[in-house]
Amino acid sequence: CEAYFKDLKKLGYNTIILRVFHNHGDRFHELVKESTRKLKPEGVYFKTQQTPVITDILTPVCKCAHRSGLKIFAWMNTLKADYNHKLKHKVLTYNKITRQIEPEKILLDPAATENIDFLMQLFADLASHPIDGILLQDDLMLRHNQGFKLINNRVSPAPGKLYNFNPKNHTQIESYKPYFEQWRKQQALTLQTLANHIFSACRRLKPNLICAQNVHYEVLYNQTWGRDWFAWTKSALRTSKADYLMIMTYQERIRKELELKSNSELVATMDKIFTNASHWQQLKPKIVFKFTTPPLTSSQKQRKRLLTTLHQTITHARQKNWPDLVLTPCNNLITASAIKE
């Protein structure tokens, strides 16, 4: 790692963001032995007693990064961080097929006291490592049918209070009732409160630790989408104790999700996001945009096209006065050099 990090430093990069969580099916870090991969299909890459540990990758990578003159952020998940799965309160979800309220298998309830305490201790363990910052994964969110409560054996709120169902097919939600908006705003504050608890737990141990959280681009592109799809709102983000809000403006994903047919449509979409962000005066100093690099599996022709789009996107962002950028993934020198050029 150290030789690679030193080359990144020469190219002008200043920070490494290392994924320290591993969900079932994720790609393992190359430093993990094959025998370990078979025994531990999920867990974390740092020392803790709160959840399963695959192996401690973080400690040696921190040393390499610092010797190379780079800062290192630990990128960690939240509501999917309980790899024991059975012990803690899970999010209650309205199953549109069965029309029943059911607990999720792995998603932690962000309002449950035991989950808040668990995550605060887990992140305190993370902060005890020689890291410069943390980045919260984008699993700190609730879909539009998630986050119900059971109070005296009654579902709160009742699904009928939130959704207008298709009268011919009750598994389809046609639209939302007025109370849905209020419910989602409350959930957004609950999620941000949990994030702030995590930041406070880390800073008690390491006061100068830089704290960041991932945010989907929809919050800036269309605030209603951000609220309805993820339970994220501008008003809740205003309460964030993070140093940075890292907006996941993954240009090729945006092109695909919004079915954009041309580069000019993509440019216009990114312009809207950058412009909307500039209007968030209170949050503007915290906003950092994240872009994607071409995958290693892409053909030479495709790679050239994707790099051209990336260069244009970076140039556009800087023209809009967004100088600080994150590129992901950037785990090989060929990609890092191409982007720098």
Side-chain angles (χ1 to χ4, degrees), residues 141-147 163 183-184 187 216 228-231:
M141 53 173 262
L142 293 169
R143 301 290 184 184
H144 74 144
N145 60 330
Q146 293 178 328
Y163 312 118
W183 183 56
R184 295 300 274 176
Q187 289 181 317
H216 282 287
D228 295 352
W229 297 355
F230 308 112

Side-chain angles (χ1 to χ4, degrees), residues 216-278:
H216 282 287
Y217 75 89
E218 285 88 347
V219 179
L220 284 170
Y221 182 74
N222 185 320
Q223 290 187 50
T224 300
W225 289 359
R227 182 195 68 209
D228 295 352
W229 297 355
F230 308 112
W232 287 347
T233 64
K234 181 180 179 180
S235 57
L237 288 171
R238 280 201 194 102
T239 69
S240 175
K241 302 300 182 184
D243 297 288
Y244 298 116
L245 302 176
M246 293 190 172
I247 314 297
M248 299 183 293
T249 37
Y250 301 153
Q251 67 280 3
E252 297 305 324
R253 181 189 293 181
I254 291 174
R255 185 198 298 272
K256 183 178 180 180
E257 289 181 350
L258 300 185
E259 299 180 350
L260 306 177
K261 304 299 183 183
S262 65
N263 273 345
S264 61
E265 288 181 300
L266 178 61
V267 169
T269 300
M270 300 300 277
D271 186 71
K272 179 178 179 179
I273 294 171
F274 297 149
T275 301
N276 287 348
S278 67

Side-chain angles (χ1 to χ4, degrees), residues 22-291:
H22 188 100
N23 296 323
H24 190 77
D26 283 348
R27 183 171 57 86
F28 282 94
H29 288 299
E30 290 186 12
L31 296 173
V32 180
K33 297 178 181 178
E34 192 64 36
S35 57
T36 304
R37 300 181 186 198
K38 293 178 180 179
L39 289 172
K40 300 179 179 180
E42 56 185 14
V44 298
Y45 291 109
F46 59 92
K47 295 175 184 176
T48 181
Q49 294 183 341
Q50 304 301 313
T51 200
V53 177
I54 295 176
T55 189
D56 179 18
I57 296 292
L58 183 57
T59 299
V61 170
C62 283
K63 292 179 181 178
C64 287
H66 290 152
R67 283 198 297 262
S68 305
L70 296 171
K71 291 182 178 179
I72 184 161
F73 284 20
W75 169 27
M76 180 59 190
N77 60 2
T78 53
L79 301 190
K80 293 182 180 179
D82 176 26
Y83 295 104
N84 296 310
H85 295 328
K86 297 179 181 179
L87 301 179
K88 299 177 179 66
H89 286 97
K90 299 301 190 290
V91 165
L92 295 180
T93 296
Y94 177 70
N95 186 322
K96 292 177 287 185
I97 305 300
T98 64
R99 301 177 68 184
Q100 300 293 320
I101 300 296
E102 302 170 357
E104 292 281 347
K105 292 183 179 179
I106 62 173
L107 204 63
L108 295 172
D109 183 341
T113 301
E114 66 169 349
N115 294 341
I116 297 171
D117 292 343
F118 159 71
L119 287 169
M120 288 173 65
Q121 184 56 59
L122 178 64
F123 273 84
D125 291 346
L126 178 58
S128 69
H129 291 71
I131 59 176
D132 301 288
I134 60 168
L135 170 62
L136 302 188
Q137 166 66 332
D138 63 337
D139 60 333
L140 189 64
M141 53 173 262
L142 293 169
R143 301 290 184 184
H144 74 144
N145 60 330
Q146 293 178 328
F148 290 86
K149 303 296 178 189
L150 280 177
I151 302 174
N152 297 325
N153 294 320
R154 297 186 65 179
V155 175
S156 177
K161 191 175 181 180
L162 303 173
Y163 312 118
N164 289 311
F165 293 96
N166 185 331
K168 297 181 180 180
N169 185 352
H170 286 280
T171 65
Q172 293 182 356
I173 297 173
E174 287 192 330
S175 60
Y176 304 121
K177 292 183 176 179
Y179 185 70
F180 177 81
E181 180 178 342
Q182 179 181 336
W183 183 56
R184 295 300 274 176
K185 288 180 177 179
Q186 292 170 346
Q187 289 181 317
L189 286 172
T190 297
L191 291 170
Q192 191 58 59
T193 298
L194 173 57
N196 291 343
H197 282 315
I198 290 172
F199 297 148
S200 295
C202 292
R203 286 168 172 153
R204 277 196 292 272
L205 191 69
K206 192 171 287 184
N208 295 324
L209 190 74
I210 300 170
C211 296
Q213 62 187 97
N214 271 326
V215 179
H216 282 287
Y217 75 89
E218 285 88 347
V219 179
L220 284 170
Y221 182 74
N222 185 320
Q223 290 187 50
T224 300
W225 289 359
R227 182 195 68 209
D228 295 352
W229 297 355
F230 308 112
W232 287 347
T233 64
K234 181 180 179 180
S235 57
L237 288 171
R238 280 201 194 102
T239 69
S240 175
K241 302 300 182 184
D243 297 288
Y244 298 116
L245 302 176
M246 293 190 172
I247 314 297
M248 299 183 293
T249 37
Y250 301 153
Q251 67 280 3
E252 297 305 324
R253 181 189 293 181
I254 291 174
R255 185 198 298 272
K256 183 178 180 180
E257 289 181 350
L258 300 185
E259 299 180 350
L260 306 177
K261 304 299 183 183
S262 65
N263 273 345
S264 61
E265 288 181 300
L266 178 61
V267 169
T269 300
M270 300 300 277
D271 186 71
K272 179 178 179 179
I273 294 171
F274 297 149
T275 301
N276 287 348
S278 67
H279 294 158
W280 287 26
Q281 293 298 328
Q282 185 177 344
L283 294 173
K284 187 177 178 181
K286 296 184 176 184
I287 291 176
V288 175
F289 287 102
K290 298 175 70 178
F291 305 131

